[in-house]
């Protein structure tokens, strides 16, 4: 811009030069995603004034009650990204099946998955929520007949991942595999401006985030890790720890990118008994956040393996998520390894 600031549009045009085989398509797709996030941000900001709070009275494929804003944000993403010819299909937390780009529009070479509104239990209480997205290439024949299988690519295949955070300020944080950069929405000019270049996660932290109401169901390695944190200076870690739980993964990851920390939504006995494989969704929560966290120097694992290397089995597959500061995530990984080695079947 004239004033020396770098807009997101300028940044992604320059960034695209690092992506193999990318044409103007990618920049244009990101612009449409950015527009969708601005529209959602506007709806979130106006809240009760424009009647967008509360329940929609329906359930999504996960059996969760949809908020009005879950449905609105999903529609905004579909409408904003279907027309331009960059995508073959989209998949979302709020839709059971994939959404092939309708015949009346040209189809493109990318796939988009998204969680249109993350942390939606926070909407009605005016606490931060966000949007998470991931861009994949459309393999082989998928352009003509896009199916769910086309989306089942490991997270290492992501071309781009990002999130928008609708907090005290609206931010967009992105990676295309070349580091992580954060942009703040300047409401006066309607542009995201680069404010957080090269975001990196400190390797060490004294802050953890976990929903402790599930403590009685945790597996021994998670319980051990948290017990040791809680024991503070008198315990084996020899230091006091702080705890946070916002119930909005976008906000937790953003805090971790800003000042470090570890976030855990682990596998637990209650999930296992119910036949569930985790709480968070692989394709539009764990993979994009894992990509961002790794690009910022952190780690993202299930407790037993690297999230980005998982071979997805379903569009809405759930996985355990442990991510953040490298040394702490490695410690939790080690605790799982030690436990599994001594309790092998
Ligand atoms: P969503 O609103 O998209 O369903 O995601 C909510 C997720 C995640 O953002 C958050 O960390 C977690 O669910 C909160 O779960 P609890 O309500 O069990 O704490
Ligand atoms: Mn979510
Ligand atoms: Mn959601």
């Amino acid at each position: 811009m004239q004033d020396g600031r770098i807009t997101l549009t300028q940044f992604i045009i320059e960034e695209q030069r690092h992506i193999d085989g990318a044409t103007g398509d990618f920049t244009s797709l990101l612009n449409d995603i950015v527009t969708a996030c601005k529209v959602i941000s506007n709806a979130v900001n106006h809240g009760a004034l424009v009647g967008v709070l509360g329940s929609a009275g329906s359930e999504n494929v996960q059996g969760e009650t949809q908020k009005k804003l879950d449905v609105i944000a999903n529609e905004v993403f579909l409408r904003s990204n279907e027309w331009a010819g960059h995508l073959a299909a989209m998949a979302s937390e709020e839709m059971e099946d994939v959404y092939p780009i309708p015949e009346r529009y040209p189809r493109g070479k990318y796939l988009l998955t998204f969680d249109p509104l993350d942390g939606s239990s926070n909407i009605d209480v005016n606490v931060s929520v966000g949007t998470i997205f991931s861009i994949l290439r459309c393999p082989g024949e998928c352009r003509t007949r896009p199916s769910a299988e086309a989306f089942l690519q490991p997270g290492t295949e992501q071309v781009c991942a990002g999130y928008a955070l609708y907090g005290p300020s609206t931010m967009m944080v992105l990676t295309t595999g070349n580091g992580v950069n954060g942009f703040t929405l300047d409401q006066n000019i309607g542009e995201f401006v680069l404010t957080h270049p090269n975001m990196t996660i400190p390797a060490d932290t004294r802050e953890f985030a976990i929903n402790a109401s599930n403590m009685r169901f945790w597996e021994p390695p998670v319980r051990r890790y948290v017990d040791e944190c809680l024991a503070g200076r008198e315990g084996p870690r020899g230091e006091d720890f702080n705890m946070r739980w916002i119930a909005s993964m976008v906000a937790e990851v953003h805090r971790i990118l800003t000042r470090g920390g570890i976030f855990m939504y682990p596998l637990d006995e209650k999930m296992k008994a119910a036949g569930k494989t985790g709480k968070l969704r692989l394709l539009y929560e764990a993979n994009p956040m894992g990509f961002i966290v790794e690009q910022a120097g952190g780690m993202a694992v299930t407790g037993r393996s690297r999230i980005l290397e998982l071979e997805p089995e379903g569009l809405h597959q759930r996985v355990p998520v442990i991510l953040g500061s490298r040394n702490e995530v490695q410690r939790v990984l080690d605790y799982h390894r030690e436990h599994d080695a001594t309790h092998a079947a």
Side-chain angles (χ1 to χ4, degrees):
M1 276 194 296
Q2 286 160 319
D3 61 6
R5 299 190 299 173
I6 299 170
T7 65
L8 179 46
T9 310
Q10 179 184 347
F11 185 87
I12 55 188
I13 287 172
E14 290 177 358
E15 187 82 335
Q16 177 170 299
R17 297 178 186 140
H18 303 288
I19 297 174
D20 277 354
T23 59
D25 265 8
F26 178 74
T27 303
S28 185
L29 169 59
L30 262 179
N31 266 328
D32 291 342
I33 292 171
V34 165
T35 302
C37 291
K38 286 183 196 169
V39 172
I40 297 168
S41 173
N42 191 46
V44 170
N45 287 163
H46 286 86
L49 294 174
V50 289
V52 296
L53 303 188
S55 167
S58 50
E59 279 190 356
N60 66 11
V61 57
Q62 340 271 344
E64 298 158 344
T65 305
Q66 288 178 307
K67 300 278 185 181
K68 280 186 199 164
L69 264 172
D70 286 321
V71 177
I72 293 168
N74 192 61
E75 279 297 309
V76 168
F77 246 70
L78 293 181
R79 297 294 86 79
S80 185
N81 290 296
E82 69 181 350
W83 61 274
H86 312 307
L87 293 174
M90 293 183 248
S92 153
E93 179 189 8
E94 304 303 335
M95 301 183 297
E96 181 158 10
D97 299 318
V98 299
Y99 178 85
I101 297 303
E103 300 280 327
R104 63 183 181 280
Y105 300 119
R107 286 203 179 136
K109 62 184 173 195
Y110 293 110
L111 299 170
L112 176 64
T113 66
F114 53 93
D115 176 354
L117 209 76
D118 175 65
S120 44
S121 71
N122 284 327
I123 297 168
D124 296 344
V125 291
N126 202 14
V127 172
S128 296
V129 291
T131 297
I132 310 171
F133 66 89
S134 161
I135 301 173
L136 295 163
R137 285 199 178 82
C138 185
E141 290 306 294
C142 110
R143 202 157 163 167
T144 39
R145 238 173 298 144
S147 63
E149 284 66 44
F151 286 85
L152 305 184
Q153 307 178 37
T156 48
E157 296 300 308
Q158 293 172 101
V159 175
C160 172
Y163 63 79
L165 171 63
Y166 314 116
S169 52
T170 291
M171 286 195 66
M172 174 77 77
V173 172
L174 282 180
T175 185
T176 56
N178 189 32
V180 179
N181 291 279
F183 305 80
T184 305
L185 182 61
D186 183 335
Q187 308 270 4
N188 292 327
I189 59 169
E191 288 275 6
F192 281 99
V193 175
L194 180 63
T195 49
H196 296 60
N198 271 321
M199 299 177 87
T200 49
I201 301 174
D204 292 299
T205 181
R206 295 292 166 261
E207 193 163 72
F208 66 97
I210 191 165
N211 184 342
S213 71
N214 296 319
M215 187 179 289
R216 65 193 185 284
F217 305 117
W218 291 343
E219 292 187 308
V222 173
R223 185 177 283 264
R224 175 183 171 193
Y225 177 79
V226 174
D227 280 350
E228 290 180 1
C229 292
L230 294 176
R233 198 176 306 177
E234 292 73 33
R237 302 296 305 270
E239 285 188 88
D240 290 335
F241 280 72
N242 192 17
M243 194 185 82
R244 287 285 183 277
W245 188 250
I246 307 174
S248 171
M249 190 195 198
V250 169
E252 317 269 10
V253 168
H254 192 70
R255 184 188 61 249
I256 289 169
L257 280 168
T258 308
R259 67 179 191 210
I262 181 169
F263 167 89
M264 293 176 279
Y265 216 121
L267 184 66
D268 66 31
E269 298 302 336
K270 189 179 170 192
M271 293 173 189
K272 286 195 229 171
K276 290 188 175 162
T277 50
K279 156 93 182 186
L280 298 169
R281 281 55 59 109
L282 176 58
L283 289 185
Y284 41 82
E285 292 178 322
N287 268 345
M289 290 312 205
F291 190 20
I292 291 169
V293 165
E294 284 196 3
Q295 283 293 314
M299 282 175 71
V301 302
T302 62
R304 296 180 165 92
S305 45
R306 183 182 172 213
I307 286 173
L308 295 192
E309 286 175 13
L310 297 175
E311 290 286 343
E313 288 164 6
L315 219 46
H316 301 288
Q317 181 181 347
R318 295 172 187 264
V319 291
V321 174
I322 295 162
L323 58 74
S325 292
R326 203 169 54 238
N327 292 339
E328 292 301 304
V329 176
Q330 185 61 52
R331 179 181 285 269
V332 179
L333 204 52
D334 292 343
Y335 286 5
H336 279 83
R337 230 171 254 152
E338 284 172 33
H339 173 267
D340 293 354
T342 48
H343 294 78

